[in-house]
């Protein structure tokens, strides 16, 4: 079964052929760590985790290298550091902001059932030449200058976009189109308006590193060119990220990497997940529909968030709704119950076929519903395939008992406590202590639990 992936650069769905099947290499742009991640950030995390799992399944778990960087140098981080830790020296304040945010990010993505990438390099560790000789940003910038692709002007080092004949291919933008309407006055020191910053000088109150171009800091794009080369080489298999990164970020990553290494490609497949809206509107802090992963996880298990995300194909725009979450929660309750902790089977062919078609998750979920129905009707083989497929997709990370217990806990109900109270009440009735049995019934009612006595014993349910 061939894995086929949609490549933004060629505009086609193509059969995936790795450069080296013993080391399949994928890079995905990671978070800028200054604030809680929002559900828009969760989309690439979940989508590329699914692809990572798929590649591990096909090529073997040790045959896939997944790198997701951490951007810990950024003007937004500086602003946050001076706001939150005004008394501290800047470097210490920045470290506090990034450490705290990173711990939170890891907790969030773990809860979403996402495997940790093989490497999670931090930008600040790759600014200056390294003892281990891995690619760094300063060396890459020097190489770009030496090859005639970058120049110093106005206190910056800039990439010379006109030095690259096919600059703009990923986003389909042409240089001369962009010349028109550009605000030349603002960029007077640039040779062309699309030229972008590789290095800029830092003032005394900004973080900086000593470089051949004075004390300064790198531009955003160069960090991904450095860290991908450091772990994956000059040309690798898959580069991923959100649609909003195509221009300028990925366009500029390609320009830097290809021109520094003298290669025809940076990555062979460029994959982009679509946008995400909330309740039909663009997510923004001002309209109040800005939802962090943390807030969602306070209300829902991470697997519900994961399923809800995968109901939409990764390239389609997605509308995140409360109704969708409620349906996803119901579906997972049912799937946990039907799968019944089965550990027998292998993922079903139908599921793997759907996933192999550019991660067609809506079709995958349809196949899962089919298996679920067979399993619920008593087909043990289908149950094994159903459970194995769900695990492959990153679900069933807990036992069915834990899942339902957690659900009861989250609704404020402690099933063990209720069972104990009912046993006490049965004992009280047996010794004809009706005062005590009524008291226990009232206590249960106060907890929102109604009980029903029959000749077979006492059953209970949560009053709605
Ligand atoms: Zn990047």
């Amino acid at each position: 079964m061939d894995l086929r992936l949609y490549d933004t650069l060629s505009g086609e769905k193509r059969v995936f052929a790795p450069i080296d099947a013993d080391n399949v290499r994928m890079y995905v742009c990671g978070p800028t760590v200054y604030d809680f991640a929002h559900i828009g950030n969760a989309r690439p995390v979940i989508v590329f985790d699914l692809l990572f799992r798929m590649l591990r399944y096909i090529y073997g778990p040790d045959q896939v290298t997944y790198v997701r960087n951490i951007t810990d140098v950024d003007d937004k981080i500086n602003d946050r550091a001076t706001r939150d830790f005004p008394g501290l020296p800047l470097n210490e304040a920045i470290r506090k902001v990034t450490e705290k945010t990173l711990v939170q990010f890891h907790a969030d993505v773990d809860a979403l059932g996402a495997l940790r990438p093989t490497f999670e390099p931090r930008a600040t560790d790759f600014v200056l030449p390294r003892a281990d000789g891995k690619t760094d940003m300063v060396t890459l910038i020097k190489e770009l200058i030496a090859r005639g692709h970058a120049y110093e002007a106005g206190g910056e080092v800039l990439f010379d976009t006109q030095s690259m004949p096919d600059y703009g291919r990923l986003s389909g933008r042409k240089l001369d189109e962009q010349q028109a309407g550009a605000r030349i006055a603002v960029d007077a020191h640039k040779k062309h308006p699309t030229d972008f910053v590789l290095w800029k000088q830092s003032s005394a109150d900004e973080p900086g590193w000593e470089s051949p171009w004075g004390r300064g800091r790198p531009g955003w794009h160069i960090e991904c060119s450095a860290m991908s080369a450091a772990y994956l080489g000059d040309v690798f298999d898959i580069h991923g990220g959100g649609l909003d990164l195509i221009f300028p970020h990925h366009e500029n990553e390609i320009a830097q990497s290809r021109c520094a290494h003298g290669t025809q490609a940076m990555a062979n497949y460029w994959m982009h997940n679509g946008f995400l809206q909330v309740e039909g509107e663009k997510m923004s802090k001002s309209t109040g529909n800005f939802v962090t992963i943390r807030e969602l996880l306070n209300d829902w298990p991470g697997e519900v968030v994961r399923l809800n995300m995968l109901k939409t194909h990764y390239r389609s725009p997605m509308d995140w709704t409360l109704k969708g979450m409620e349906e996803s929660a119901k579906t997972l309750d049912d799937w946990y119950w039907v799968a019944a902790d089965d550990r027998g089977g292998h993922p079903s062919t139908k599921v793997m076929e759907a996933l192999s078609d550019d991660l067609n998750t809506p079709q995958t979920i349809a196949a899962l519903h089919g298996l679920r129905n067979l399993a619920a009707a008593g087909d043990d083989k289908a149950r094994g395939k159903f459970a194995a497929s769900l695990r492959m997709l990153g679900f069933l990370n807990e036992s069915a008992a834990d899942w339902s217990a957690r659900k009861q806990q989250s609704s404020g109900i402690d099933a063990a406590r209720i069972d104990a109270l009912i046993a006490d009440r049965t004992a009280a009735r047996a010794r004809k202590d009706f005062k005590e049995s009524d008291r226990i019934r009232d206590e249960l009612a106060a907890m929102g639990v109604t009980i029903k006595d029959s000749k077979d014993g006492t059953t209970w349910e949560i009053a709605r």
Side-chain angles (χ1 to χ4, degrees):
M1 185 182 316
D2 283 334
L3 172 62
R4 300 192 316 141
L5 300 174
Y6 182 84
D7 168 32
T8 308
L9 189 58
S10 61
E12 289 171 344
K13 218 190 270 185
R14 295 192 285 124
V15 171
F16 177 68
I19 298 165
D20 175 2
D22 287 330
N23 184 16
V24 180
R25 290 164 283 161
M26 172 164 82
Y27 186 92
V28 175
C29 296
T32 303
V33 282
Y34 73 103
D35 206 349
F36 291 119
H38 56 72
I39 43 174
N41 304 131
R43 197 168 189 196
V45 165
I46 293 171
V47 163
F48 290 105
D49 175 68
L50 180 61
L51 180 57
F52 182 38
R53 287 169 182 272
M54 196 54 192
L55 294 170
R56 285 161 56 100
Y57 184 82
I58 297 170
Y59 296 97
D62 299 327
Q63 271 63 50
V64 185
T65 307
Y66 173 19
V67 177
R68 185 177 61 210
N69 67 301
I70 291 155
T71 299
D72 59 351
V73 50
D74 187 281
D75 290 348
K76 288 193 284 287
I77 298 177
N78 307 344
D79 295 346
R80 188 58 62 103
T82 35
R83 191 196 80 182
D84 290 358
F85 303 97
L88 285 184
L90 184 65
N91 279 353
E92 262 179 65
I94 286 174
R95 178 135 306 215
K96 280 202 184 282
V97 169
T98 56
E99 292 285 342
K100 193 179 97 183
T101 312
L102 188 55
V103 166
Q104 184 62 59
F105 178 73
H106 278 150
D108 288 350
V109 300
D110 288 351
L112 296 175
L115 302 172
R116 294 281 180 97
T118 323
F119 298 105
E120 282 190 290
R122 292 164 175 238
T124 48
D125 292 334
F126 288 81
V127 177
L128 298 179
R130 294 164 54 92
D132 64 6
K134 281 194 163 66
T135 310
D136 65 274
M137 299 180 220
V138 164
T139 304
L140 266 189
I141 296 169
K142 276 169 128 173
E143 188 65 31
L144 286 168
I145 295 173
R147 287 175 177 252
H149 292 292
Y151 59 96
E152 278 188 80
E156 296 176 333
V157 181
L158 293 149
F159 185 91
D160 182 356
T161 48
Q162 291 169 102
S163 73
M164 184 188 186
D166 59 350
Y167 177 82
R169 219 176 89 204
L170 180 74
S171 57
R173 296 180 187 221
K174 293 203 173 68
L175 282 184
D176 41 348
E177 283 169 11
Q178 296 188 42
Q179 186 102 48
R183 295 159 65 199
I184 303 293
V186 177
D187 300 319
H189 63 290
K190 291 186 180 180
K191 290 188 193 170
H192 191 278
T194 52
D195 290 356
F196 57 90
V197 171
L198 300 171
W199 188 266
K200 57 188 161 191
Q201 282 176 2
S202 293
S203 61
D205 57 355
E206 286 168 333
W209 289 260
E210 292 302 334
S211 80
W213 319 287
R215 183 177 174 277
R217 59 196 193 282
W220 170 35
H221 316 304
I222 195 73
E223 68 174 73
C224 288
S225 285
M227 289 185 278
S228 60
Y231 288 99
L232 303 175
D234 296 352
V235 185
F236 51 94
D237 297 303
I238 299 168
H239 191 309
L243 206 60
D244 51 330
L245 295 183
I246 292 178
F247 191 88
H249 185 53
H250 289 169
E251 195 72 80
N252 293 348
E253 280 188 35
I254 292 175
Q256 296 162 159
S257 294
R258 282 185 47 198
C259 291
H261 306 307
T263 53
Q264 285 305 304
M266 176 185 185
N268 288 336
Y269 300 80
W270 284 83
M271 295 179 64
H272 294 97
N273 62 271
F275 290 116
L276 183 146
Q277 292 193 317
V278 174
E279 306 286 353
E281 278 184 70
K282 189 174 187 291
M283 186 165 54
S284 84
K285 281 187 172 155
S286 55
T287 58
N289 67 346
F290 189 87
V291 188
T292 64
I293 302 175
R294 182 87 321 236
E295 287 164 339
L296 275 179
L297 293 173
N298 286 337
D299 294 340
W300 308 90
E303 288 186 32
V304 172
V305 179
R306 187 179 179 90
L307 175 61
N308 202 50
M309 197 68 86
L310 295 179
K311 284 196 297 199
T312 305
H313 185 252
Y314 78 91
R315 284 196 285 125
S316 303
M318 158 149 211
D319 190 18
W320 190 272
T321 64
L322 179 62
K323 190 165 168 282
M325 285 293 283
E326 286 166 353
E327 285 166 8
S328 298
K330 267 191 205 149
T331 302
L332 264 174
D333 288 347
D334 174 66
W335 284 359
Y336 259 97
W337 179 69
V338 173
D341 298 333
D342 192 298
R343 292 206 157 259
H346 294 284
S348 97
T349 310
K350 270 191 180 161
V351 164
M352 295 313 291
E353 273 171 2
L355 285 174
S356 299
D357 181 17
D358 193 32
L359 304 180
N360 189 336
T361 50
Q363 201 186 313
T364 303
I365 290 168
L368 285 168
H369 282 304
L371 281 170
R372 177 258 171 232
N373 291 342
L374 292 173
D379 182 338
D380 290 342
K381 221 171 152 188
R383 181 179 301 106
K385 285 182 188 176
F386 177 59
S389 301
L390 285 171
R391 285 200 178 84
M392 201 257 138
L393 289 157
F395 297 105
L396 305 188
N397 295 308
E398 45 195 283
S399 70
D402 285 349
W403 179 267
S404 77
R406 187 152 70 118
K407 202 181 139 226
Q408 284 167 348
Q409 254 169 30
S410 69
S411 59
I413 296 299
D414 178 348
R417 165 108 184 102
I418 294 167
D419 289 341
L421 282 168
I422 288 174
D424 289 350
R425 178 173 168 273
T426 307
R429 278 157 59 97
R431 64 175 189 268
K432 305 214 186 304
D433 183 351
F434 297 114
K435 205 175 153 199
E436 175 65 2
S437 76
D438 285 353
R439 190 198 65 74
I440 294 172
R441 188 194 57 211
D442 292 346
E443 186 180 338
L444 285 164
M447 291 164 68
V449 174
T450 50
I451 53 177
K452 198 166 85 186
D453 296 313
S454 72
K455 62 179 189 332
D456 298 326
T458 306
T459 55
W460 62 270
E461 63 176 12
I462 316 288
R464 296 281 167 199

